[in-house]
């Protein structure tokens, strides 16, 4: 038991609404793709395990031939149109996956303790930095997560598993539940 129990929850948790997500599969080394991303999202093709953000949009590396385009939900249709026209000569697949995914946000200086309770991924401050994305497990579900800033992480999971993860995250953020992994 910690000598000084926390005064409140380890971190705040909320569901993030109005997030659009497009799965884009293509040759990530394609010059046309790189040019399109730079013009459309103002970012370069992210490297392995990276996420590039600009404004309200982000592009995440998901696998050797897959990116996740994250936009406001109001921009999904126009982004899909832009993919189809901008990458017309490039072999690709672009699918709106917004309805099948959900985003949670954890905020607070103890968010790493919350994540460490349920993921085998290394989330220590020197190993998990802004601009990096982890695809792993959280609780008992597949999830992807990345740092928005020094005290905020976004977590994506399947909508069908959202109820479980919502409850798990709520329990993991409760007062007194800190394992203090990063407080040595």
């Amino acid at each position: 038991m910690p000598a000084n129990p926390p005064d409140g929850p380890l971190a705040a948790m909320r569901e993030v609404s109005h997030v659009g997500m497009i799965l884009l599969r293509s040759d990530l080394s394609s010059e046309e793709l790189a040019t399109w991303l730079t013009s459309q999202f103002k970012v370069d093709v992210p490297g392995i395990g990276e996420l590039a953000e600009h404004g309200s949009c982000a592009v995440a590396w998901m696998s050797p031939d897959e990116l996740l385009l994250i936009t406001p939900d109001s921009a999904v249709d126009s982004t899909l149109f832009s993919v189809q026209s901008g990458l017309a000569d490039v072999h690709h697949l672009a699918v709106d996956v917004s309805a099948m995914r959900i985003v949670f946000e954890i905020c607070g200086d103890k968010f790493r303790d919350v994540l460490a309770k349920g993921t085998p991924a290394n989330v220590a401050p020197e190993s998990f930095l802004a601009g990096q994305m982890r695809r792993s497990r959280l609780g008992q579900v597949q999830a992807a997560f990345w740092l928005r800033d020094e005290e905020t992480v976004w977590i994506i999971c399947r909508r069908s598993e959202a109820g479980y993860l919502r409850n798990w995250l709520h329990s993991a953020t409760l007062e007194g539940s800190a394992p203090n992994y990063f407080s040595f």
Side-chain angles (χ1 to χ4, degrees):
M1 183 167 173
N4 297 314
D7 295 325
L10 295 176
M13 190 256 315
R14 74 178 182 99
E15 189 174 314
V16 181
S17 57
H18 307 296
V19 177
M21 290 175 252
I22 298 169
L23 174 118
L24 176 60
R25 295 194 84 130
S26 188
D27 176 3
L28 301 189
S29 65
S30 159
E31 283 188 38
E32 293 90 344
L33 175 64
T35 300
W36 180 82
L37 277 177
T38 301
S39 68
Q40 188 70 34
F41 282 84
K42 312 293 187 253
V43 300
D44 294 326
V45 176
I48 296 171
E50 293 179 352
L51 177 129
E53 290 186 86
H54 181 79
S56 60
C57 297
V59 179
W61 183 94
M62 300 301 278
S63 75
D65 69 345
E66 180 182 345
L67 298 175
L68 183 64
L69 310 178
I70 303 163
T71 70
D73 62 353
S74 60
V76 168
D77 290 339
S78 62
T79 303
L80 277 171
F81 179 78
S82 177
V83 169
Q84 298 306 329
S85 58
L87 299 178
D89 296 331
V90 177
H91 182 72
H92 72 277
L93 169 70
V95 179
D96 177 3
V97 295
S98 307
M100 61 187 285
R101 307 264 172 90
I102 194 164
V103 179
F104 292 101
E105 179 180 83
I106 304 293
C107 294
D109 63 347
K110 299 280 189 193
F111 79 89
R112 291 177 193 277
D113 281 309
V114 173
L115 291 176
K117 290 179 187 186
T119 185
N122 185 348
V123 294
E126 63 277 0
S127 298
F128 183 45
L129 308 169
Q132 295 179 333
M133 179 173 225
R134 298 288 187 261
R135 291 185 70 184
S136 187
R137 299 193 71 71
L138 189 58
Q140 296 296 318
V141 303
Q142 293 178 0
F145 45 90
W146 73 94
L147 295 182
R148 296 292 310 246
D149 59 42
E150 292 302 314
E151 291 191 3
T152 308
V153 65
W154 273 22
I155 302 162
I156 299 173
C157 77
R158 292 184 190 106
R159 189 169 297 277
S160 61
E161 298 169 327
Y164 168 84
L165 190 57
R166 183 181 299 107
N167 290 336
W168 187 91
L169 287 168
H170 174 74
S171 295
T173 60
L174 290 176
E175 178 180 351
S177 67
N180 296 314
Y181 292 120
F182 307 108
S183 301
F184 298 114

